Structures are given as C-alpha cells and as structure tokens.
Amino acid sequence: MALQGGCACGSVRYTLTESPLIVHACHCRDCQRLTGSAFVINLWIEKKFVEALGAAPESFMLKGGSGAPHEVFFCGRCGTYVWSRYHPAPGDALFVRAGTLDDPQAVKPDVHIFTRSKLPWLALPKDTRAFESFYKIDEVWSDDSKQRMRWSRWR
Ligand SMILES: [Zn+2]
Ligand SMILES: [Zn+2]
C-alpha cells in the first residue's frame, strides 16, 4: 500500500511506503484543539516509511496531556498539520493525519482512544474497540505490527 497525501495548499506532499502499524482515532483534548474537530485519525507508522516530498514541514513542540513532549509538523505556508511525533511513543515513528490523505477512505480506525474526552453527541459504532485513555500494545496490536516494531525490545 503506497498512500499519498499532502497539505491544503499542496506545498507539502508525502508518500507512505508501508501500511500503518495501527490507526488511531484520538479523542484527546490536544487532538481536538489541533484539528478544530471532534477527534483526529492518526496512522502510526515508522518514520522511514514516510517520504516527505516538496516543502519540508515546519514543527512546533507542545507539551502533551501527560506532560511529555509532542512535536507537531505543519505546512509553513498554509498551516495544515500533517503529522506529529510523540516522544514517549516507542520507535522512531510518526502519527500521520489520515484527513490529509488523497484518499482518506483508504484507512479506518482500528481503535478509538482517550474516549474520556469524546464529545457526548458522538456515538461510536457498537463493535468499536475504544479505550478511556491509552491501551496495552500487547492486547491491541496485530502480531505483524508488534514484530515490525520489535515490540519485545520496548517492553
Ligand atoms: Zn500547505
Ligand atoms: Zn490525541
């Protein structure tokens, strides 16, 4: 799967050369603020599989909800936020915003997280995997993804 995407003005373009490890719908307050919306859809993928084309995104360092650094990357021209890097997340990985894909239908969330701040009018489908905050990677990730990340190294 080689997905492509970019910012609203077209300066920042990227190709994902591998499928994501997992796709999160995150309902935390930071993601709500950053998107101006109810939640964000993030593709968790190793940095080496994200090929940035065109203009290099600029970045800004935020303090995440846990106090850990959260670096957000955005187009310097139009401000579209294309991905982030959560410093406590294992591996050298980026969280690419699915809304910036040329074909956002190509992915759907594997799991909804931080539903404790989910907006109350939003009802998730019944069979959705959802967690009040974060989850245990052991219990949620596919074996393939655990192996790809050599998860055993991080435990
Ligand atoms: Zn742009
Ligand atoms: Zn979030």
Side-chain angles (χ1 to χ4, degrees):
M1 170 158 83
L3 294 171
Q4 302 199 320
C7 68
C9 79
S11 296
V12 173
R13 295 287 305 160
Y14 63 82
T15 301
L16 307 181
T17 58
E18 196 30 285
S19 43
L21 291 156
I22 188 163
V23 180
H24 285 171
C26 184
H27 300 257
C28 83
R29 290 291 297 126
D30 282 343
C31 290
Q32 289 172 343
R33 276 205 187 85
L34 285 164
T35 57
S37 188
F39 61 92
V40 72
I41 308 165
N42 276 330
L43 288 74
W44 186 340
I45 185 168
E46 298 93 322
K47 189 167 173 277
K48 64 183 176 196
F49 297 134
V50 182
E51 278 176 22
L53 316 159
E58 296 187 17
S59 78
F60 186 81
M61 193 71 82
L62 285 171
K63 261 193 172 174
S66 60
H70 169 196
E71 195 172 7
V72 296
F73 292 81
F74 53 90
C75 170
R77 243 178 105 208
C78 72
T80 305
Y81 153 50
V82 286
W83 55 72
S84 5
R85 189 168 199 173
Y86 292 91
H87 287 258
D92 197 7
L94 297 178
F95 291 73
V96 178
R97 276 176 72 167
T100 64
L101 292 171
D102 294 342
D103 177 17
Q105 286 190 32
V107 296
K108 63 181 207 217
D110 296 305
V111 62
H112 286 250
I113 60 172
F114 290 99
T115 57
R116 66 185 177 204
S117 47
K118 180 178 77 59
L119 296 181
W121 48 260
L122 176 68
L124 302 180
K126 273 212 173 64
D127 54 352
T128 303
R129 283 190 107 168
F131 296 85
E132 285 271 289
S133 57
F134 205 67
Y135 55 81
K136 293 198 171 84
I137 285 180
D138 268 339
E139 291 166 11
V140 172
W141 280 28
S142 69
D143 287 341
D144 277 0
S145 292
K146 283 188 226 172
Q147 213 162 29
R148 227 167 90 187
M149 192 69 122
R150 293 193 200 147
W151 173 236
S152 52
R153 264 198 319 185
W154 302 96
R155 255 182 305 205

